[in-house]
Amino acid sequence: MIELCSKRRMVLTVAVLGLVSAIIIILESTHLRSHEIDIHESHPVLKEKMKPEEKCWTRESSVIIEPCHLCTEKEILDHNPVVCIAKGYKEKVRCKSGNETYRACHQVAWVEERRFWIFETAMFLSGCVSAGFVFLRQKQLDHIVYKRIQKQIATGV
């Protein structure tokens, strides 16, 4: 396996992996900047259907009454509240003027936590399977070396 790879091939592989990692980091950083754009101003349906008084948090201070959570299928299909069609998440806010409204949000904490633990579990299982293969391969190589030594001893070398 790896013992069959030349030094040149290994260096080339590491260089390619480094390049791919750099490209992924650059793409991810541009994706992260896209969250700075207000979805309420860029989404065509929200731009059209939301009234200015429903966007009161852009002009005045506001307090989050209900944290970000998933919209139901009915809310998304009925467009009530209209912010559900943007991302499928909503949070209820109360503006300083007393107006209560919904605004779109980016992520729900428990959904992100669940995704994290699913990823961690998959990586743990992948690591266990990889460790098992490494253990088996090491046993095979040890057995080959052991047979070679036995053969040398038997021939009297």
Side-chain angles (χ1 to χ4, degrees), residues 25-38:
I25 289 171
I26 291 168
L27 291 175
E28 282 291 322
S29 67
T30 58
H31 175 70
L32 290 175
R33 277 192 224 117
S34 69
H35 287 300
E36 296 171 2
I37 301 168
D38 186 15

Side-chain angles (χ1 to χ4, degrees), residues 42-98:
S42 61
H43 195 278
V45 177
L46 291 181
K47 209 173 188 180
E48 177 189 325
K49 290 190 175 182
M50 282 190 81
K51 300 174 199 135
E53 59 269 10
E54 291 178 322
K55 298 180 190 177
C56 62
W57 70 87
T58 59
R59 297 182 308 276
E60 54 190 86
S61 62
S62 60
V63 177
I64 298 173
I65 300 170
E66 295 175 13
C68 190
H69 60 278
L70 292 167
C71 297
T72 63
E73 287 294 321
K74 186 177 187 316
E75 289 174 330
I76 294 171
L77 294 174
D78 293 345
H79 296 191
N80 187 18
V82 71
V83 295
C84 284
I85 54 176
K87 299 243 182 202
Y89 305 133
K90 65 180 179 181
E91 68 183 358
K92 193 171 189 177
V93 295
R94 179 184 298 130
C95 296
K96 194 174 185 179
S97 62

Side-chain angles (χ1 to χ4, degrees), residues 127-142:
C128 289
V129 168
S130 298
F133 281 124
V134 167
F135 179 76
L136 289 175
R137 181 65 179 155
Q138 188 63 47
K139 285 287 188 187
Q140 288 174 346
L141 293 174
D142 288 346

